[in-house]
Amino acid sequence: MKRIFITGVSSGIGRELAIEYAKQKCIIGISARRHELLKNIAKDCNNLGSKTHVYQLDVQNRKKCEQVIGEFLKVAGGIDCVIANAGIGGDDNLFSGTSKNINNILNTNIKGVTNVIMPFIPIMKSQNYGTLVSVSSVASYMPLPFHGGYASSKIAIRRIFDSWRPSLQKYNLNLVSICPGFIDTPMVKGPARNFPLQKANNAAKKFIHAIENGRSNFVHPKYYYFVIWLFKFTPMWFYNWFINKMFSKPFN
Ligand SMILES: NC(=O)c1ccc[n+]([C@@H]2O[C@H](COP(=O)([O-])OP(=O)(O)OC[C@H]3O[C@@H](n4cnc5c(N)ncnc54)[C@H](OP(=O)(O)O)[C@@H]3O)[C@@H](O)[C@H]2O)c1
């Protein structure tokens, strides 16, 4: 049985990933802060034939991450794949006079990934196999107004993985950065909902396929590859004018 640990499973993409792995009858560690939601999702996963272990976890809490991961490794007897999916959106609260919002985004989306990924590296190194996955975003390629914290957090985790990949390849570890476009989950609010939204369950299936194929950077849906390419050749003044028209006010 494959052993998978996933963060941010109480909702959206994380939930759908857990359900898909449950269909493969994996041993799954599911985590998030909202325990009641996790317990219900664990029931659904177990009904599909998986062995699901529930952990209430705030990914900003490094010590708790290490403790929970230790517990999961004990019951699972090792690890095949860890998916650092937990993340928050939201704007920077640019005119608030405080860095509270933006720092919360940076802490969750960057340290929340390293807190979860790093405890698995020594065990994967000793096993000589394993897959590390982080959920970045198309926003790591293109800035959105008022979302500097979010976009930069997603660049940071993608770049951390790019830096680690050559060092960990010799231990047979795959590092996969998933870069979704807009997926229909509770995270997508305000004008962002005017973009075409992908279904979360379809997206999860694609992500698992990319993970199993060891893709380094996987963008979904595919047309964002073209958008990202186009962005590289777009003059900044034009992009700023265009994106300001679409997102003229802060939104969460
Ligand atoms: N939806 C999109 O369009 C989109 C696009 C690009 C990238 N992404 C990325 O995909 C990932 C999943 O997002 P989603 O769209 O599925 O959003 P979502 O439905 O809001 O789910 C976010 C998950 O992260 C968990 N989470 C948030 N803060 C946490 C914390 N401090 N500790 C532990 N868990 C925490 C939440 O659980 P609790 O609140 O219960 O803790 C929830 O389960 C995120 O990293 C997001 O940035 C999403």
Side-chain angles (χ1 to χ4, degrees), residues 5-250:
F5 187 87
I6 314 172
T7 63
V9 175
S10 58
S11 163
I13 295 169
R15 180 188 181 280
E16 299 304 327
L17 287 170
I19 296 286
E20 285 308 312
Y21 279 116
K23 290 180 191 163
Q24 295 185 19
K25 312 211 184 309
C26 298
I27 298 174
I28 318 170
I30 63 171
S31 65
R33 292 167 301 180
R34 286 170 292 172
H35 199 221
E36 286 308 310
L37 290 177
L38 284 182
K39 285 201 279 190
N40 289 333
I41 292 164
K43 269 188 209 151
D44 294 342
C45 290
N46 288 335
N47 287 338
L48 289 165
S50 73
K51 282 190 182 152
T52 311
H53 302 276
V54 173
Y55 302 98
Q56 186 171 30
L57 178 66
D58 182 339
V59 293
Q60 288 199 36
N61 186 335
R62 178 179 58 81
K63 281 201 170 139
K64 182 79 182 173
C65 286
E66 289 168 8
Q67 180 205 319
V68 156
I69 290 163
E71 286 169 22
F72 177 71
L73 286 171
K74 239 186 225 162
V75 291
I79 181 76
D80 294 282
C81 177
V82 48
I83 307 179
N85 162 74
I88 51 172
D91 75 32
D92 300 332
N93 226 346
L94 193 55
F95 305 115
S96 65
T98 165
S99 56
K100 191 170 169 234
N101 249 40
I102 190 169
N103 284 357
N104 191 36
I105 295 166
L106 295 171
N107 285 335
T108 305
N109 295 2
I110 304 176
K111 292 183 191 168
V113 171
T114 52
N115 283 344
V116 167
I117 293 288
M118 297 206 74
F120 283 106
I121 293 178
I123 179 105
M124 285 189 173
K125 180 172 173 270
S126 65
Q127 292 175 168
N128 206 34
Y129 65 83
T131 302
L132 302 169
V133 183
S134 71
V135 180
S136 175
S137 170
V138 163
S140 71
Y141 293 97
M142 285 173 295
L144 281 182
F146 305 107
H147 287 71
Y150 184 75
S152 61
S153 70
K154 295 301 180 182
I155 296 171
I157 58 169
R158 194 158 53 75
R159 189 46 54 91
I160 288 171
F161 267 40
D162 290 342
S163 303
W164 288 349
R165 196 170 288 111
S167 327
L168 295 178
Q169 250 163 5
K170 60 173 176 268
Y171 303 108
N172 212 14
L173 304 199
N174 276 329
L175 278 78
V176 180
S177 294
I178 300 288
C179 300
F182 288 107
I183 313 290
D184 193 359
T185 71
M187 180 182 284
V188 182
K189 295 175 184 141
R193 292 203 70 82
N194 296 330
F195 282 80
L197 299 175
Q198 305 297 308
K199 284 195 170 139
N201 58 346
N202 289 342
K205 284 183 190 141
K206 302 259 183 211
F207 298 159
I208 290 175
H209 192 253
I211 292 166
E212 283 168 0
N213 285 296
R215 297 280 297 269
S216 301
N217 282 289
F218 178 72
V219 174
H220 173 75
K222 259 192 196 143
Y223 56 76
Y224 277 106
Y225 283 110
F226 175 68
V227 177
I228 291 164
W229 176 83
L230 199 63
F231 172 69
K232 277 190 202 157
F233 300 101
T234 305
M236 214 50 199
W237 66 263
F238 177 78
Y239 181 78
N240 288 343
W241 170 81
F242 171 76
I243 206 80
N244 253 331
K245 289 252 166 235
M246 298 193 80
F247 299 95
S248 53
K249 281 187 271 170

